[in-house]
Amino acid sequence: MHNKPVNFKEGFMEVILSFFTQVFLVLSLIGFGFQFSQILKIDKNEIAGEKQVLIWALLGFLYITFFVTALNFFLPVPPIFSGTVLTIGLILFFVKFKELEKHFNIKLFKAFLLILVLMNILYLSYGFKAFDTGAYHIQSVKWVSESITPLGLANLMGNLGYTSLSFSGLAVTDFILFITDKPLFILYPALFSLFFACIYVPRKRL
């Protein structure tokens, strides 16, 4: 069972919106991850080259995901809060840019943007067709955004109770909920694009 195909005009506007928010998101995650690696005293020279940028982005995602998961037991995580958190990450990125630019160079950034464009074109032609996305993924993300953690959901439906931390992460990274009123799951294309860029750029130099 699948969701209906994406309306082209609506999908195109969502792709444009998601593209710019994905760039914003990745820079923010790198900023958080770099700061977190300094707190943990991780030697940034242990992992050479562009791969370090991917590690920072993943660390940033883990950092804000655990923070939001703990916070959601007491407070909802509305889009305005998510936007504020990610803005702090973006500020950290630019404050620390002098230390970051050795790894996050212009070639990597261009490759990331190109792959991200291709990812978004795939969305425009494919859309969200997985049944689970419409069945409970979207609702799980919106619960984090709109209410505190609802207890006892597994008594109603197992799928609702046995969810993952990724939904908390998606709630804080999908801060454009206040515009679209639905999550666009911008995190995964953004991280996959960065992953492929971090592989492509070093191989091109060989």
Side-chain angles (χ1 to χ4, degrees), residues 67-78 81 142-150 168 171:
F67 170 72
V68 166
T69 300
L71 181 67
N72 193 226
F73 279 98
F74 309 98
L75 295 169
V77 185
F81 175 83
K142 293 192 77 173
W143 264 323
V144 178
S145 299
E146 297 173 359
S147 69
I148 63 172
T149 301
S168 297

mmCIF file of all heavy atoms in Angstrom, residues 67-78 81 142-150 168 171:
data_model
loop_
_atom_site.group_PDB
_atom_site.id
_atom_site.type_symbol
_atom_site.label_atom_id
_atom_site.label_comp_id
_atom_site.label_asym_id
_atom_site.label_seq_id
_atom_site.Cartn_x
_atom_site.Cartn_y
_atom_site.Cartn_z
ATOM 1 N N PHE A 67 19.494 15.107 23.789
ATOM 2 C CA PHE A 67 19.023 16.274 24.540
ATOM 3 C C PHE A 67 17.513 16.439 24.390
ATOM 4 O O PHE A 67 16.781 16.621 25.374
ATOM 5 C CB PHE A 67 19.748 17.532 24.051
ATOM 6 C CG PHE A 67 19.173 18.812 24.592
ATOM 7 C CD1 PHE A 67 19.355 19.151 25.926
ATOM 8 C CD2 PHE A 67 18.441 19.670 23.778
ATOM 9 C CE1 PHE A 67 18.825 20.340 26.442
ATOM 10 C CE2 PHE A 67 17.917 20.850 24.268
ATOM 11 C CZ PHE A 67 18.095 21.184 25.605
ATOM 12 N N VAL A 68 17.022 16.343 23.160
ATOM 13 C CA VAL A 68 15.589 16.524 22.898
ATOM 14 C C VAL A 68 14.773 15.372 23.473
ATOM 15 O O VAL A 68 13.672 15.578 23.995
ATOM 16 C CB VAL A 68 15.343 16.669 21.373
ATOM 17 C CG1 VAL A 68 13.866 16.518 21.038
ATOM 18 C CG2 VAL A 68 15.863 18.005 20.894
ATOM 19 N N THR A 69 15.297 14.148 23.405
ATOM 20 C CA THR A 69 14.587 12.995 23.964
ATOM 21 C C THR A 69 14.366 13.167 25.463
ATOM 22 O O THR A 69 13.273 12.912 25.983
ATOM 23 C CB THR A 69 15.376 11.699 23.698
ATOM 24 O OG1 THR A 69 15.520 11.518 22.289
ATOM 25 C CG2 THR A 69 14.640 10.492 24.282
ATOM 26 N N ALA A 70 15.406 13.614 26.167
ATOM 27 C CA ALA A 70 15.275 13.850 27.611
ATOM 28 C C ALA A 70 14.317 15.004 27.891
ATOM 29 O O ALA A 70 13.464 14.926 28.786
ATOM 30 C CB ALA A 70 16.646 14.145 28.209
ATOM 31 N N LEU A 71 14.422 16.067 27.114
ATOM 32 C CA LEU A 71 13.567 17.242 27.304
ATOM 33 C C LEU A 71 12.099 16.924 27.050
ATOM 34 O O LEU A 71 11.207 17.450 27.731
ATOM 35 C CB LEU A 71 14.025 18.357 26.359
ATOM 36 C CG LEU A 71 13.251 19.674 26.431
ATOM 37 C CD1 LEU A 71 13.496 20.355 27.788
ATOM 38 C CD2 LEU A 71 13.649 20.595 25.286
ATOM 39 N N ASN A 72 11.836 16.021 26.093
ATOM 40 C CA ASN A 72 10.457 15.733 25.693
ATOM 41 C C ASN A 72 9.647 15.007 26.769
ATOM 42 O O ASN A 72 8.417 14.937 26.682
ATOM 43 C CB ASN A 72 10.456 14.922 24.396
ATOM 44 C CG ASN A 72 9.093 14.846 23.743
ATOM 45 O OD1 ASN A 72 8.652 13.784 23.319
ATOM 46 N ND2 ASN A 72 8.397 15.969 23.647
ATOM 47 N N PHE A 73 10.303 14.483 27.787
ATOM 48 C CA PHE A 73 9.564 13.907 28.907
ATOM 49 C C PHE A 73 8.860 14.990 29.723
ATOM 50 O O PHE A 73 7.904 14.706 30.455
ATOM 51 C CB PHE A 73 10.504 13.108 29.826
ATOM 52 C CG PHE A 73 10.798 11.726 29.336
ATOM 53 C CD1 PHE A 73 11.969 11.463 28.644
ATOM 54 C CD2 PHE A 73 9.904 10.689 29.548
ATOM 55 C CE1 PHE A 73 12.253 10.182 28.178
ATOM 56 C CE2 PHE A 73 10.167 9.406 29.086
ATOM 57 C CZ PHE A 73 11.348 9.154 28.406
ATOM 58 N N PHE A 74 9.312 16.222 29.569
ATOM 59 C CA PHE A 74 8.764 17.326 30.358
ATOM 60 C C PHE A 74 8.119 18.418 29.505
ATOM 61 O O PHE A 74 7.182 19.080 29.948
ATOM 62 C CB PHE A 74 9.878 17.958 31.211
ATOM 63 C CG PHE A 74 10.665 16.970 32.007
ATOM 64 C CD1 PHE A 74 11.887 16.493 31.558
ATOM 65 C CD2 PHE A 74 10.161 16.479 33.209
ATOM 66 C CE1 PHE A 74 12.609 15.565 32.288
ATOM 67 C CE2 PHE A 74 10.879 15.552 33.953
ATOM 68 C CZ PHE A 74 12.102 15.090 33.497
ATOM 69 N N LEU A 75 8.619 18.588 28.274
ATOM 70 C CA LEU A 75 8.135 19.667 27.405
ATOM 71 C C LEU A 75 8.020 19.185 25.968
ATOM 72 O O LEU A 75 8.799 18.328 25.536
ATOM 73 C CB LEU A 75 9.102 20.857 27.443
ATOM 74 C CG LEU A 75 9.284 21.619 28.768
ATOM 75 C CD1 LEU A 75 10.465 22.570 28.647
ATOM 76 C CD2 LEU A 75 8.003 22.387 29.122
ATOM 77 N N PRO A 76 7.064 19.735 25.204
ATOM 78 C CA PRO A 76 7.053 19.469 23.762
ATOM 79 C C PRO A 76 8.212 20.200 23.092
ATOM 80 O O PRO A 76 8.832 21.085 23.679
ATOM 81 C CB PRO A 76 5.698 20.032 23.305
ATOM 82 C CG PRO A 76 5.346 21.054 24.331
ATOM 83 C CD PRO A 76 5.935 20.577 25.627
ATOM 84 N N VAL A 77 8.510 19.817 21.867
ATOM 85 C CA VAL A 77 9.615 20.430 21.129
ATOM 86 C C VAL A 77 9.047 21.073 19.862
ATOM 87 O O VAL A 77 9.125 20.500 18.781
ATOM 88 C CB VAL A 77 10.691 19.379 20.771
ATOM 89 C CG1 VAL A 77 11.890 20.043 20.103
ATOM 90 C CG2 VAL A 77 11.120 18.617 22.016
ATOM 91 N N PRO A 78 8.458 22.266 19.990
ATOM 92 C CA PRO A 78 7.826 22.912 18.836
ATOM 93 C C PRO A 78 8.860 23.378 17.818
ATOM 94 O O PRO A 78 10.052 23.516 18.141
ATOM 95 C CB PRO A 78 7.099 24.105 19.465
ATOM 96 C CG PRO A 78 7.866 24.412 20.700
ATOM 97 C CD PRO A 78 8.374 23.092 21.212
ATOM 98 N N PHE A 81 11.312 26.152 18.778
ATOM 99 C CA PHE A 81 12.412 25.706 19.636
ATOM 100 C C PHE A 81 13.479 25.014 18.799
ATOM 101 O O PHE A 81 14.679 25.266 18.974
ATOM 102 C CB PHE A 81 11.886 24.753 20.709
ATOM 103 C CG PHE A 81 12.963 24.145 21.572
ATOM 104 C CD1 PHE A 81 13.465 24.842 22.664
ATOM 105 C CD2 PHE A 81 13.486 22.889 21.285
ATOM 106 C CE1 PHE A 81 14.469 24.299 23.454
ATOM 107 C CE2 PHE A 81 14.487 22.337 22.058
ATOM 108 C CZ PHE A 81 14.981 23.044 23.154
ATOM 109 N N LYS A 142 5.309 14.234 14.949
ATOM 110 C CA LYS A 142 4.451 15.343 15.382
ATOM 111 C C LYS A 142 4.137 15.259 16.875
ATOM 112 O O LYS A 142 3.932 16.279 17.523
ATOM 113 C CB LYS A 142 3.161 15.365 14.552
ATOM 114 C CG LYS A 142 3.401 15.713 13.090
ATOM 115 C CD LYS A 142 2.121 16.021 12.350
ATOM 116 C CE LYS A 142 1.629 17.414 12.704
ATOM 117 N NZ LYS A 142 0.474 17.809 11.866
ATOM 118 N N TRP A 143 4.103 14.067 17.435
ATOM 119 C CA TRP A 143 3.893 13.940 18.878
ATOM 120 C C TRP A 143 5.021 14.629 19.643
ATOM 121 O O TRP A 143 4.782 15.309 20.637
ATOM 122 C CB TRP A 143 3.825 12.474 19.294
ATOM 123 C CG TRP A 143 2.425 11.951 19.407
ATOM 124 C CD1 TRP A 143 1.337 12.621 19.870
ATOM 125 C CD2 TRP A 143 1.980 10.640 19.047
ATOM 126 N NE1 TRP A 143 0.223 11.816 19.814
ATOM 127 C CE2 TRP A 143 0.595 10.594 19.310
ATOM 128 C CE3 TRP A 143 2.599 9.518 18.525
ATOM 129 C CZ2 TRP A 143 -0.177 9.463 19.080
ATOM 130 C CZ3 TRP A 143 1.829 8.385 18.296
ATOM 131 C CH2 TRP A 143 0.455 8.367 18.577
ATOM 132 N N VAL A 144 6.247 14.426 19.193
ATOM 133 C CA VAL A 144 7.385 15.066 19.861
ATOM 134 C C VAL A 144 7.263 16.585 19.769
ATOM 135 O O VAL A 144 7.551 17.314 20.717
ATOM 136 C CB VAL A 144 8.718 14.597 19.244
ATOM 137 C CG1 VAL A 144 9.902 15.302 19.909
ATOM 138 C CG2 VAL A 144 8.866 13.086 19.360
ATOM 139 N N SER A 145 6.792 17.070 18.624
ATOM 140 C CA SER A 145 6.680 18.509 18.401
ATOM 141 C C SER A 145 5.531 19.146 19.164
ATOM 142 O O SER A 145 5.599 20.316 19.545
ATOM 143 C CB SER A 145 6.505 18.798 16.905
ATOM 144 O OG SER A 145 7.601 18.333 16.167
ATOM 145 N N GLU A 146 4.459 18.375 19.378
ATOM 146 C CA GLU A 146 3.226 18.972 19.889
ATOM 147 C C GLU A 146 2.886 18.617 21.329
ATOM 148 O O GLU A 146 1.997 19.224 21.923
ATOM 149 C CB GLU A 146 2.061 18.579 18.974
ATOM 150 C CG GLU A 146 2.217 19.118 17.548
ATOM 151 C CD GLU A 146 1.162 18.590 16.600
ATOM 152 O OE1 GLU A 146 0.306 17.779 17.055
ATOM 153 O OE2 GLU A 146 1.192 18.963 15.419
ATOM 154 N N SER A 147 3.564 17.618 21.893
ATOM 155 C CA SER A 147 3.209 17.217 23.263
ATOM 156 C C SER A 147 4.409 16.591 23.952
ATOM 157 O O SER A 147 5.422 16.297 23.312
ATOM 158 C CB SER A 147 2.049 16.209 23.241
ATOM 159 O OG SER A 147 2.485 14.963 22.697
ATOM 160 N N ILE A 148 4.285 16.398 25.266
ATOM 161 C CA ILE A 148 5.318 15.647 25.978
ATOM 162 C C ILE A 148 5.200 14.175 25.577
ATOM 163 O O ILE A 148 4.220 13.768 24.949
ATOM 164 C CB ILE A 148 5.183 15.817 27.506
ATOM 165 C CG1 ILE A 148 3.851 15.236 27.994
ATOM 166 C CG2 ILE A 148 5.338 17.267 27.895
ATOM 167 C CD1 ILE A 148 3.741 15.205 29.509
ATOM 168 N N THR A 149 6.200 13.385 25.927
ATOM 169 C CA THR A 149 6.197 11.970 25.553
ATOM 170 C C THR A 149 4.940 11.281 26.065
ATOM 171 O O THR A 149 4.702 11.223 27.280
ATOM 172 C CB THR A 149 7.431 11.256 26.142
ATOM 173 O OG1 THR A 149 8.615 11.886 25.654
ATOM 174 C CG2 THR A 149 7.436 9.786 25.753
ATOM 175 N N PRO A 150 4.071 10.779 25.151
ATOM 176 C CA PRO A 150 2.845 10.102 25.595
ATOM 177 C C PRO A 150 3.170 8.693 26.080
ATOM 178 O O PRO A 150 3.711 7.878 25.326
ATOM 179 C CB PRO A 150 1.978 10.078 24.333
ATOM 180 C CG PRO A 150 2.940 10.190 23.198
ATOM 181 C CD PRO A 150 4.156 10.889 23.699
ATOM 182 N N SER A 168 12.786 11.613 17.654
ATOM 183 C CA SER A 168 13.125 12.839 18.388
ATOM 184 C C SER A 168 14.087 13.683 17.574
ATOM 185 O O SER A 168 13.969 14.909 17.504
ATOM 186 C CB SER A 168 13.746 12.497 19.742
ATOM 187 O OG SER A 168 12.835 11.812 20.563
ATOM 188 N N ALA A 171 12.238 15.341 14.782
ATOM 189 C CA ALA A 171 11.400 16.452 15.248
ATOM 190 C C ALA A 171 12.209 17.732 15.391
ATOM 191 O O ALA A 171 11.739 18.814 15.017
ATOM 192 C CB ALA A 171 10.739 16.093 16.578
#
